[in-house]
Amino acid sequence: MGNMDSAKVVITPSAEGSSELARVETEIVEKGIKFVFVEYCDSHGIQRIRVVPADVFVESSSKGFMMTGMSLLRLPMRDVPPTPELPYTISYGNFRFLPDLDSFKAVPWMKDVASVIVDPYHIGGGCVSFSPRHVARAQVERLKKYGFQIFSSLEYEFAVLDGKTLTPVHKDVYGHQFQQYLQVWDYLTEIYDSLQKMGLRVEQIDSEGGYGLYEFPIKPSLGLQAGDDGFWLKKTVREVSKLRGYFASFSSKPFTETCSASGHFNHSLRDLSGKMLFYDDNESDKMSKTMRHWLAGLIHHAPAMVIIGCPTASCIRRFIHPNRVTSLYPNWGIDNRTCSFRVKDHATENTYIENRIFGAGCNPYLALAAHIAAGLDGIINELPLPKMIEGDGNSAENVLSGAHRFTGKLSDAIEALEQDTVLCDALGRDFIEPYLNVKRHECVKEIEAIESGDSEFYDREYLPYL
């Protein structure tokens, strides 16, 4: 695509004259944009794309783009599973996808190309309730009604594989070594440059302790923007990798013999004026009452959150083949990597919670929504915070009586969400039912693969797609 003719696209000024569309038109002309990728995020965090000529995009942006919406519910490789909860018109018809013009960005690694995030709506009006971005937006707005804003970022790890053989670029199991950076340095710095140009503020480049495992932690953002940041990060890493002869896999457990690829969710709360709400200098542990109740909500709903944070049969294997810092129980500790929720209470502006349960395969919008739904329940009902863990969170002496264990079975994770009526009601039954239907279908496929001795199932179904 980089060799395409760069002739200027002729744009007729929009009749609407909106400031957002005017900005987009100007950018298209000034940067010589010929094509726009209209993109949305499916339930597994995979981008779905249609390519639209730039002039057609300008003409059609107010009316939207007619596309099938059932890709929202696709499994990574397989077609859409049966969806008995959905009417015929949704299962086989189109949705109207409207662009969020504030998200329009020129793509730095592809000549003449821009991207924009689109949201699905029913033809007759009204949002598509099982769209992950709509689910996240609803929770962000709900949180604001209680006087809070969430400030968050997802810390996605990914495995860098050879683009042809899908073998990892290295098999070093000890992270942060010079040679892990040196052998792919030009590639890593191109990803860094591309992320920066996409408006993401990269904090560092990390080499993790797993086969071909790297991460680019980004600075947090307020509200829905954090979900968009996660979407842009995955898109950037995947596309730059593909163009440079690599494949970047966000499959949470690409190789059972080494560390998982995590998707740690780091976050704190602010009030509507921007004041940080998690730090209290008068408390011995520096944790405010708001933080304690929020954290209690996360721990209480952690079993139900697993199927959202580790959403596939491959992702959830992180609990079957854990490493020494994979938490197997809902618990918390201060700066304790063996706990599900690691509290960092360094200062007023740097006190936050790191969810260490989630894997890299998680959808950034659903991760955001689930945390808000769980944490807000803790605040509303003033849930008590369990005892802090000191030492190994998985050791027998630290496992609280009656504590739920993350089994690594997809069926158990599905059941945990089904039984959590608070989380289901908060996220919306219109989302929960089709989402869980997809997971049940996936569960059946995994059981069939295991019973038939299909040893290639996880690599075939997930590694090349997540």
Side-chain angles (χ1 to χ4, degrees):
M1 205 155 201
N3 294 324
M4 284 191 172
D5 177 32
S6 60
K8 295 277 186 175
V9 176
V10 177
I11 299 293
T12 302
S14 64
E16 293 86 352
S18 71
S19 58
E20 295 89 352
L21 188 54
R23 176 189 64 81
V24 167
E25 292 180 54
T26 299
E27 187 168 353
I28 286 174
V29 172
E30 290 181 348
K31 296 183 177 179
I33 301 297
K34 294 179 68 176
F35 298 100
V36 179
F37 285 13
V38 294
E39 308 191 39
Y40 63 93
C41 190
D42 74 9
S43 61
H44 292 91
I46 299 171
Q47 66 199 91
R48 303 291 180 178
I49 300 173
R50 174 167 290 182
V51 180
V52 179
D55 55 338
V56 175
F57 174 80
V58 171
E59 293 169 2
S60 305
S61 62
S62 62
K63 300 188 294 289
F65 305 91
M66 308 302 288
M67 296 186 285
T68 175
M70 288 311 298
S71 289
L72 286 163
L73 298 174
R74 289 182 188 275
L75 293 176
M77 177 185 178
R78 295 181 183 275
D79 206 348
V80 182
T83 50
E85 297 85 359
L86 299 178
Y88 173 88
T89 52
I90 294 179
S91 298
Y92 299 99
N94 278 340
F95 292 142
R96 187 188 307 278
F97 285 79
L98 293 173
D100 180 347
L101 294 177
D102 285 340
S103 71
F104 185 92
K105 298 174 184 286
V107 175
W109 57 90
M110 297 179 74
K111 186 179 180 182
D112 308 334
V113 172
S115 288
V116 68
I117 297 173
V118 293
D119 290 314
Y121 292 83
H122 296 288
I123 301 300
C127 69
V128 175
S129 53
F130 56 82
S131 160
R133 197 166 187 252
H134 279 317
V135 173
R137 182 185 289 109
Q139 290 303 306
V140 168
E141 293 305 314
R142 178 169 172 253
L143 188 63
K144 284 183 180 178
K145 291 179 180 178
Y146 285 89
F148 303 118
Q149 301 180 84
I150 189 167
F151 190 55
S152 65
S153 68
L154 264 160
E155 198 175 310
Y156 278 126
E157 298 172 354
F158 58 94
V160 180
L161 315 176
D162 180 274
K164 294 181 179 179
T165 64
L166 295 186
T167 55
V169 294
H170 69 73
K171 287 195 173 183
D172 295 329
V173 294
Y174 303 104
H176 317 294
Q177 297 191 73
F178 176 67
Q179 62 265 26
Q180 296 166 352
Y181 296 97
L182 184 62
Q183 66 189 90
V184 287
W185 180 246
D186 290 344
Y187 159 72
L188 294 175
T189 54
E190 183 174 0
I191 290 177
Y192 169 82
D193 291 340
S194 298
L195 289 170
Q196 294 288 108
K197 291 174 182 177
M198 291 292 283
L200 304 180
R201 300 162 296 165
V202 178
E203 292 186 318
Q204 60 202 47
I205 304 173
D206 272 350
S207 168
E208 294 292 335
Y211 291 178
L213 213 56
Y214 296 89
E215 70 173 345
F216 288 75
I218 56 176
K219 289 186 177 293
S221 296
L222 282 172
L224 187 65
Q225 184 59 52
D228 289 345
D229 289 349
F231 174 80
W232 290 126
L233 185 144
K234 281 192 168 184
K235 169 189 170 64
T236 301
V237 170
R238 284 174 175 142
E239 293 185 8
V240 171
S241 300
K242 191 69 174 177
L243 290 171
R244 300 299 166 250
Y246 298 105
F247 184 85
S249 177
F250 290 88
S251 179
S252 305
K253 194 68 178 178
F255 308 104
T256 58
E257 66 270 30
T258 187
C259 290
S260 303
S262 297
H264 297 160
F265 189 87
N266 300 295
H267 69 289
S268 62
L269 287 187
R270 297 182 176 189
D271 66 18
L272 299 185
S273 71
K275 179 184 176 182
M276 302 290 286
L277 298 177
F278 273 5
Y279 184 84
D280 188 342
D281 195 43
N282 295 319
E283 297 291 338
S284 60
D285 56 14
K286 308 304 179 184
M287 294 168 59
S288 69
K289 180 180 178 181
T290 297
M291 183 180 188
R292 298 179 73 84
H293 288 316
W294 179 275
L295 178 56
L298 297 180
I299 292 171
H300 180 73
H301 294 288
M305 295 170 69
V306 168
I307 194 63
I308 293 174
C310 304
T312 72
S314 176
C315 295
I316 209 164
R317 292 188 299 169
R318 62 193 277 110
F319 302 117
I320 298 176
H321 307 281
N323 60 41
R324 65 182 181 277
V325 291
T326 302
S327 179
L328 300 176
Y329 299 92
N331 52 23
W332 74 281
I334 294 179
D335 203 15
N336 188 339
R337 283 185 169 86
T338 68
C339 291
S340 295
F341 297 98
R342 178 187 179 198
V343 170
K344 302 182 182 181
D345 59 347
H346 305 304
T348 305
E349 297 297 318
N350 200 26
T351 294
Y352 61 97
I353 299 169
E354 176 188 50
N355 178 345
R356 297 179 57 81
I357 301 171
F358 282 21
C362 73
N363 180 303
Y365 299 109
L366 297 182
L368 177 63
H371 280 81
I372 294 174
L376 192 53
D377 180 55
I379 290 177
I380 293 171
N381 291 295
E382 297 188 343
L383 297 181
L385 184 63
K387 179 184 176 182
M388 182 184 75
I389 298 297
E390 296 186 73
D392 185 352
N394 294 323
S395 63
E397 62 269 21
N398 277 329
V399 176
L400 302 178
S401 177
H404 176 98
R405 189 187 189 281
F406 307 135
T407 65
K409 293 182 180 179
L410 202 60
S411 57
D412 290 345
I414 292 169
E415 183 179 0
L417 180 54
E418 286 175 325
Q419 293 180 351
D420 193 322
T421 56
V422 172
L423 211 62
C424 288
D425 290 343
L427 296 176
R429 296 286 174 173
D430 289 344
F431 160 72
I432 289 293
E433 290 306 321
Y435 181 77
L436 286 181
N437 183 72
V438 172
K439 297 295 100 185
R440 295 184 197 103
H441 182 74
E442 181 180 358
C443 190
V444 169
K445 294 300 178 184
E446 182 190 27
I447 292 171
E448 289 176 351
I450 292 172
E451 291 179 348
S452 67
D454 183 0
S455 61
E456 307 267 322
F457 174 75
Y458 299 103
D459 287 349
R460 183 182 68 249
E461 299 293 316
Y462 301 103
L463 188 64
Y465 302 100
L466 287 175

